Amino acid sequence: MVKMSETKNLDEKAIAIDEVSSIASEGVQNVFQTHQPDEVVLREVDEIVEKHDLKEYEPLLIRGALLANRPEIIEHEDYTEEERKAILRETTHPLLSLSPAMILAAICASCAAVNFGMDESAVGGAQLQYQEDFNITDPNIQGLTVAAPYLAAAVFGAPLTVYLSNHIGRRLIVFISCFIAFAGCMIQGFANGLPAMLFARLFMGIGMGLNSSTVPVYTAECAPAVSRGAILMLWQTFIALGVCLGSVFNRAFVNIDGSLSWRLMIGSASVPPVITGILILLPPESPRWLISNGKTRESLESLVKLRSCSVSGAKDFYILYESLKFESELEVKLTKWEQFVSLFKVPRNRFALIVSSIGILGQQYGGVNILVSYTTTILTKAGVDPVTAIAGSIGIGGGCFLSTFISAQLIDSFGRRKMLLFTLPVEGICLFWLGGVININDSSLRLGLGLAAMYLYVLFYGTGIGPVSFTLVAETPSISVRMAHSAVCMSLNWILDFCLSMTWPKMASTMTTSGGLYFYGAFNFVVWALAYFCIPETKRFTLEQLDEVFKSGVSPFFKKKLKGLIGKHS
């Protein structure tokens, strides 16, 4: 009876959350109503000011609230010419209009991703040497040393984020993760055997899980809707920068005698966490986290700093406050466990989880981590000398880094969905191409065509699934389950990364390198089909407006796309 009662209570809460989603999803009219009578808006502002002791901000809040209610009144005389230009520029030039505080928040948080990329490429270059020093000959153990951080990130780091985020905020989680990353890099750099190496990499993975679950959410919650996609691209951009820097350091240290060579390679990844840990304390905290934790004044002050002008910050604060008020009105309080359950039981949350999971699946099993972690191994097995192989791997991170700038220009205009549907087939073709050319007898031709296939692949990966996958994770969930959603998705991300890195040495020895590349090449076409039928467009919606996109669940969207496809060919 007790168990049945608990189940009933959980179902009732899930229904209540579903009701919240339905209310929010009946359009912005029901979450935030525009074009109301001015007296209604002014009365609401008076209530906010009185309730949260914001008397000194009342004139600013009135002007921001009236602008949010009727955007066309920006031409009214109550707004200065500078304010008109700033707000118009947010629409016409969203990236150029970002405030210094928003730029600082985006860059400081995303710098944490450099450590991931550097470690991944550094280990890829160092593994040939430390495997020899530690006599690691078993393919399973070889894979485990590479993949260990991803296991710890999935099992410990990402789930821990849900607990910490309710108590210490987004920025402090990033700071803690940087300390863990620094310590882990130093320990593995001084490791004297396989046990110490495995411990260091597992420990470092906890920081990876904390970081990857927090940074995209933090930047999404700080960013304006019109430029959110481009700002979220920074996560993938800085991962790619880390991959490139790791490869550069690999090439710089490869000719050093003895074990110092590989120790410097993997030890170099300890520098970015130190820099990020210092910088992350400078930008404002997430305004959505602040207001959700009862810090309304701090939320307003944060948004004023994060927007191009004070009126724009007050406008977004009023929209945020009104949009989130329905949650407290329905008094739906979920425990952490109930948040996880609602991800699967509530259609709106389940649809967002499916969309994000497809992005993560394509990001991991599209093959990029094989190229990042095992480029040197793939090329040396194809007959290329180790020094040339390490030099060639620099282009993997460099190409991905440069392509994210292209993606940043397209994601908020061309759209997430179109970018996936265009780039995924090309990625698959490139892996089939690479799998074929590594069997060519002519060494010069083999190297040239092989590197061309790799570089073309990362160009399209960095334009498509790479940055888009993290964007979808950050922007699709509702606020009540945002951290639970992020934790589940990043756990999935790291589990898949662990499985892929762990199994590649065995796969390459049993299926051959070409067979493994064909497998991952084919997977890109599978993800393309899933993206076509299951991923809607999310560009230029606010995080609250996306409830409208996901309100009905995945089934109606799937059926709509299937009918459209059949109709085109009938």
Side-chain angles (χ1 to χ4, degrees):
M1 290 294 291
V2 175
K3 187 175 182 180
M4 290 179 62
S5 176
E6 291 176 351
T7 303
K8 182 179 178 181
N9 291 337
L10 184 56
D11 288 342
E12 289 174 351
K13 286 195 173 185
I15 291 170
I17 284 293
D18 200 3
E19 183 184 351
V20 171
S21 297
S22 298
I23 290 174
S25 301
E26 287 172 5
V28 182
Q29 301 94 307
N30 287 332
V31 179
F32 173 70
Q33 293 185 358
T34 59
H35 294 86
Q36 297 183 84
D38 286 352
E39 55 268 22
V40 174
V41 176
L42 294 175
R43 187 165 59 248
E44 185 65 27
V45 171
D46 286 341
E47 180 184 324
I48 295 172
V49 169
E50 183 177 346
K51 183 177 181 180
H52 301 288
D53 190 24
L54 298 173
K55 193 66 178 177
E56 68 271 31
Y57 290 106
E58 185 173 10
L60 178 63
L61 277 173
I62 290 174
R63 297 170 70 232
L66 291 173
L67 179 61
N69 184 53
R70 299 179 188 274
E72 63 273 12
I73 69 168
I74 187 62
E75 299 300 328
H76 195 274
E77 61 182 11
D78 285 346
Y79 299 94
T80 66
E81 186 64 26
E82 290 75 15
E83 290 170 340
R84 293 191 190 98
K85 288 181 179 180
I87 292 174
L88 177 62
R89 192 174 174 81
E90 289 179 356
T91 304
T92 58
H93 299 83
L95 292 179
L96 295 178
S97 69
L98 295 177
S99 70
M102 184 65 246
I103 295 173
L104 184 66
I107 292 178
C108 290
S110 299
C111 276
V114 175
N115 175 250
F116 302 165
M118 283 194 69
D119 176 76
E120 198 166 16
S121 60
V123 169
Q127 61 183 296
L128 295 177
Q129 297 179 49
Y130 73 67
Q131 287 172 4
E132 182 178 347
D133 284 358
F134 297 155
N135 193 31
I136 305 173
T137 57
D138 187 332
N140 293 320
I141 303 300
Q142 291 175 354
L144 181 61
T145 55
V146 174
Y150 316 136
L151 178 63
V155 176
F156 299 108
L160 185 60
T161 309
V162 180
Y163 174 78
L164 292 177
S165 67
N166 291 333
H167 299 281
I168 62 175
R170 317 292 197 222
R171 293 183 307 158
L172 195 51
I173 294 177
V174 176
F175 179 83
I176 293 171
S177 71
C178 289
F179 173 79
I180 295 173
F182 170 77
C185 286
M186 295 301 293
I187 294 171
Q188 70 178 356
F190 287 98
N192 59 0
L194 179 59
M197 175 68 78
L198 284 176
F199 170 80
R201 294 192 59 73
L202 286 167
F203 181 68
M204 187 169 59
I206 298 174
M208 288 184 176
L210 290 172
N211 224 323
S212 60
S213 299
T214 304
V215 172
V217 171
Y218 170 72
T219 50
E221 291 177 341
C222 290
V226 293
S227 56
R228 187 179 62 246
I231 291 172
L232 287 170
M233 286 289 184
L234 288 174
W235 178 254
Q236 182 62 33
T237 301
F238 279 81
I239 289 179
L241 175 62
V243 171
C244 185
L245 289 175
S247 298
V248 169
F249 282 115
N250 287 350
R251 181 61 185 88
F253 299 138
V254 69
N255 289 323
I256 296 177
D257 294 332
S259 66
L260 182 61
S261 174
W262 67 262
R263 294 182 188 277
L264 288 174
M265 289 181 188
I266 59 178
S268 63
S270 64
V271 177
V274 175
I275 298 173
T276 305
I278 296 171
L279 293 178
I280 195 59
L281 301 177
L282 300 178
E285 181 57 87
S286 158
R288 281 180 175 82
W289 183 87
L290 289 169
I291 202 169
S292 297
N293 285 269
K295 300 182 179 182
T296 306
R297 172 185 290 272
E298 291 88 343
S299 176
L300 172 59
E301 292 170 347
S302 176
L303 271 170
V304 168
K305 294 176 183 177
L306 291 168
R307 295 298 178 262
S308 59
C309 63
S310 297
V311 170
S312 180
K315 171 179 70 73
D316 282 0
F317 170 80
Y318 182 74
I319 294 173
L320 175 63
Y321 187 94
E322 292 298 301
S323 299
L324 302 184
K325 192 169 69 171
F326 72 94
E327 285 191 64
S328 58
E329 288 175 352
L330 289 178
E331 296 183 349
V332 177
K333 304 295 183 181
L334 291 182
T335 66
K336 297 176 182 64
W337 170 248
E338 289 165 350
Q339 289 180 41
F340 281 111
V341 173
S342 72
L343 291 177
F344 301 93
K345 297 192 69 172
V346 178
R348 184 259 181 270
N349 296 337
R350 185 167 59 242
F351 191 6
L353 184 62
I354 290 171
V355 168
S356 298
S357 298
I358 292 171
I360 291 297
L361 183 67
Q363 198 259 0
Q364 290 298 331
Y365 270 69
V368 68
N369 287 317
I370 295 301
L371 298 187
V372 172
S373 298
Y374 292 104
T375 294
T376 305
T377 304
I378 291 172
L379 292 178
T380 52
K381 286 186 176 180
V384 179
D385 67 274
V387 175
T388 303
I390 289 175
S393 68
I394 296 175
I396 301 297
C400 197
F401 175 67
L402 294 176
S403 64
T404 56
F405 290 99
I406 301 173
S407 186
Q409 299 302 313
L410 298 176
I411 191 167
D412 287 314
S413 55
F414 196 58
R416 286 70 154 151
R417 175 182 168 84
K418 289 181 180 178
M419 291 171 67
L420 291 179
L421 297 180
F422 176 71
T423 57
L424 283 168
V426 182
E427 293 174 40
I429 292 170
C430 288
L431 291 181
F432 277 102
W433 173 8
L434 177 61
V437 301
I438 60 176
N439 297 311
I440 295 176
N441 292 327
D442 187 313
S443 60
S444 297
L445 184 62
R446 180 174 64 244
L447 177 61
L449 291 176
L451 290 177
M454 289 181 176
Y455 295 164
L456 186 62
Y457 171 89
V458 297
L459 175 65
F460 281 87
Y461 169 85
T463 307
I465 190 67
V468 170
S469 61
F470 288 111
T471 301
L472 293 174
V473 170
E475 69 183 5
T476 55
S478 63
I479 190 169
S480 60
V481 295
R482 185 161 293 149
M483 288 311 299
H485 175 100
S486 179
V488 169
C489 290
M490 296 318 300
S491 289
L492 176 64
N493 175 77
W494 293 118
I495 287 172
L496 293 178
D497 202 346
F498 170 77
C499 293
L500 185 147
S501 301
M502 178 76 183
T503 57
W504 175 255
K506 193 72 173 178
M507 179 182 286
S509 65
T510 55
M511 296 176 60
T512 73
T513 300
S514 293
L517 292 171
Y518 295 152
F519 172 83
Y520 290 112
F523 218 93
N524 282 280
F525 293 97
V526 174
V527 176
W528 182 93
L530 292 172
Y532 181 86
F533 287 111
C534 299
I535 296 184
E537 187 51 72
T538 60
K539 67 174 182 178
R540 290 187 175 249
F541 291 103
T542 67
L543 295 181
E544 289 69 44
Q545 288 170 335
L546 283 173
D547 284 327
E548 172 69 17
V549 176
F550 292 99
K551 67 174 181 179
S552 300
V554 69
S555 296
F557 184 82
F558 180 91
K559 292 175 182 177
K560 178 182 176 182
K561 290 300 175 183
L562 183 61
K563 288 180 180 178
L565 186 64
I566 295 173
K568 289 180 181 180
H569 296 86
S570 60

